[in-house]
Amino acid sequence: MKKLLSLTRAAIDKYNMIEEGDKIAVGVSGGKDSVALLYVLSRIRSFYPKHFDLVAVILDYQFNGESQDFEVLQTLCDNLNVPLVIRKTNLWEVIFEIRKEKNPCSLCAKMRRGILHDVAKEQGCNKVALGHHADDAAETFMMNLLNGGNIGCFSPVSYLSNKDLYQIRPLVFAFEADVERAVKRENLPVVKSKCPADKNTNREEMKQFLAELEKTYPGARKKILGAMERGHVSAW
């Protein structure tokens, strides 16, 4: 956990992600990345020189028309002294039943991000924190390059002018292995995704591609991130 705390603190400081008086909505899916982000930010809050508040936000997709059980995450939030907001949505119905999307991830990401931003504003937040880590960044860069022919990635910090919100990604210096170790060491609760497309996406294919690439070119992910920083790609 010390390593994850250190890497998160480094990203926050380098990109000025947190300012005095911020109220940050943490998007929590229940997966290891978002749960680790919530836990780490709550720990950093106790010693960071700039005071900030947190609100955890869960979107209930209501897969198959049923609400998901987030009791373990409610208990975690209670223990961390972080208020939790659970917003029921009709995302599953719209994407899988009404539109019957063959490639649902893009539309789902756009819709859930919009709902998350709305909840953040309702809660008086000025920032939204997402759990994307270094592996996600390398995968996104390669997906943009190979699928769209573009050089780009998500930014560590971005301003959403239509919502007057800042979007931050405090885990961008941490790799997935760092997150996994921290979650296991702290015995953090993880809620398995019920999404029909889980583990069957273009991102999962890119994850496997980069894993194979690492066998021939060790450290490929780190080199991609280093190149993005040196080239100032997408504000890295």
Side-chain angles (χ1 to χ4, degrees):
M1 179 52 72
K2 287 184 178 179
K3 182 178 181 180
L4 189 59
L5 281 167
S6 176
L7 291 170
T8 304
R9 173 72 183 266
I12 289 172
D13 289 345
K14 179 172 182 177
Y15 294 108
N16 299 312
M17 292 184 180
I18 296 178
E19 298 293 345
E20 179 69 30
D22 280 347
K23 187 174 183 180
I24 304 170
V26 184
V28 180
S29 66
K32 66 182 187 310
D33 304 332
S34 62
V35 169
L37 174 63
L38 176 64
Y39 184 81
V40 168
L41 287 179
S42 71
R43 288 278 300 272
I44 289 176
R45 179 180 58 171
S46 67
F47 60 78
Y48 199 65
K50 299 175 182 178
H51 172 77
F52 64 94
D53 292 317
L54 298 172
V55 177
V57 179
I58 293 176
L59 304 184
D60 184 353
Y61 294 78
Q62 299 196 88
F63 290 111
N64 298 310
E66 297 180 357
S67 293
Q68 192 162 355
D69 182 4
F70 295 110
E71 184 177 352
V72 292
L73 297 180
Q74 180 67 70
T75 299
L76 174 65
C77 289
D78 291 342
N79 292 336
L80 297 177
N81 196 28
V82 175
L84 171 63
V85 176
I86 300 177
R87 176 60 54 87
K88 293 184 183 297
T89 77
N90 64 344
L91 286 173
W92 175 81
E93 181 182 11
V94 170
I95 294 169
F96 292 100
E97 291 292 291
I98 298 175
R99 295 179 61 102
K100 300 184 186 299
E101 291 284 324
K102 293 182 179 179
N103 300 297
C105 296
S106 178
L107 177 61
C108 183
K110 184 180 296 184
M111 291 182 66
R112 71 170 181 264
R113 202 66 54 80
I115 298 170
L116 175 60
H117 296 161
D118 288 342
V119 175
K121 294 296 289 186
E122 291 170 8
Q123 295 298 313
C125 298
N126 64 313
K127 291 181 179 176
V128 173
L130 303 177
H132 297 124
H133 47 59
D135 288 84
D136 292 321
E139 292 158 13
T140 299
F141 178 86
M142 292 299 292
M143 288 166 67
N144 286 334
L145 177 64
L146 299 181
N147 294 337
N150 299 314
I151 300 294
C153 184
F154 53 70
S155 300
V157 177
S158 52
Y159 177 63
L160 311 173
S161 57
N162 61 325
K163 294 291 185 179
D164 190 26
L165 281 170
Y166 281 92
Q167 194 160 264
I168 62 175
R169 294 176 167 92
L171 297 182
V172 289
F173 286 170
F175 284 88
E176 187 170 17
D178 300 317
V179 174
E180 288 180 339
R181 281 193 295 269
V183 168
K184 289 181 180 178
R185 186 170 293 117
E186 299 299 323
N187 195 29
L188 298 177
V190 173
V191 178
K192 182 174 174 55
S193 173
K194 293 185 177 181
C195 177
D198 189 39
K199 303 300 182 183
N200 187 31
T201 64
N202 183 237
R203 180 169 294 279
E204 183 64 24
E205 291 174 1
M206 184 55 67
K207 184 188 295 289
Q208 298 305 319
F209 172 78
L210 286 175
E212 288 297 314
L213 194 66
E214 290 266 358
K215 295 178 182 178
T216 305
Y217 301 98
R221 293 180 182 88
K222 290 183 179 179
K223 292 171 184 175
I224 291 171
L225 297 177
M228 287 200 298
E229 286 191 286
R230 290 189 293 273
H232 303 293
V233 173
S234 301
W236 277 73

